[in-house]
Amino acid sequence: MEQAFELNRIIRKLIAPFLEDFTLDQLNVIPEGFSNNLFWNIAHVVVTQQLLVYKLSGLPMLISEELVDQYKKGTKPKQAATQEDVDQIKSLLFDTIDQTQADYTTGVFNNFNEYPTSSGFILKNSTDAIAYNNYHEGLHLGIIMSFKKIV
């Protein structure tokens, strides 16, 4: 599992500079043909990881329900992200992975509610969820990188 967490950190290290290198206006632009913006995609990966690993395990998430409601699957930006929003996601990008790894190592993920993903893969335990999350974040990294050329 060490490799799964390391891969997650690598993906997030590729995502993190977007929060530094792009202005708030650029982070909030919804390009033609897209339904979300750069910031939404970045916040979405944080939210989805928490839903897949913690919520499906029946454990309290490390993020607020408000954040989940704003950035879960099927949502769209209701308002422009603020600098405070950006700062919050910056800190959560790595804090959530560090805590998830610590929790996994200490064995807190004992229960899991089986979940069929939209891609057809069935998550049966937290190990599956952690692995699948890397696939999901890789997809969004591709979207985020395509924004680089658009905004």
Side-chain angles (χ1 to χ4, degrees):
M1 278 308 291
E2 186 72 31
Q3 286 184 314
F5 288 111
E6 185 56 31
L7 177 57
N8 201 186
R9 282 189 187 86
I10 289 169
I11 293 167
R12 295 215 177 171
K13 284 177 186 174
L14 293 170
I15 291 172
F18 287 87
L19 294 173
E20 295 286 336
D21 299 342
F22 287 79
T23 66
L24 269 176
D25 286 341
Q26 290 172 313
L27 289 170
N28 284 299
V29 168
I30 300 175
E32 190 174 327
F34 289 82
S35 57
N36 292 304
N37 56 35
L38 242 173
F39 184 76
W40 183 93
N41 277 276
I42 297 169
H44 174 73
V45 300
V46 171
V47 165
T48 301
Q49 185 267 348
Q50 289 292 294
L51 290 169
L52 290 174
V53 181
Y54 283 86
K55 186 137 186 149
L56 290 175
S57 295
L59 296 169
M61 293 182 289
L62 307 173
I63 60 172
S64 69
E65 286 293 334
E66 179 185 30
L67 208 58
V68 171
D69 290 341
Q70 287 180 295
Y71 300 106
K72 67 184 175 184
K73 181 180 178 178
T75 62
K76 295 179 182 181
K78 295 178 186 171
Q79 61 208 21
T82 65
Q83 187 59 51
E84 182 179 270
D85 296 329
V86 172
D87 293 343
Q88 178 186 30
I89 294 301
K90 269 190 219 179
S91 71
L92 289 171
L93 269 179
F94 296 100
D95 290 352
T96 51
I97 299 307
D98 294 342
Q99 188 60 53
T100 302
Q101 185 172 16
D103 289 343
Y104 187 86
T105 301
T106 58
V108 302
F109 299 109
N110 296 316
N111 301 311
F112 195 84
N113 297 308
E114 195 171 283
Y115 178 77
T117 67
S118 56
S119 61
F121 186 73
I122 298 172
L123 306 178
K124 297 182 180 182
N125 53 50
S126 61
T127 303
D128 289 351
I130 291 164
Y132 180 81
N133 181 66
N134 285 337
Y135 160 77
H136 176 262
E137 291 196 18
L139 290 175
H140 281 277
L141 175 59
I143 293 167
I144 290 164
M145 293 176 93
S146 71
F147 275 61
K148 187 176 187 175
K149 298 176 183 178
I150 299 170
V151 301

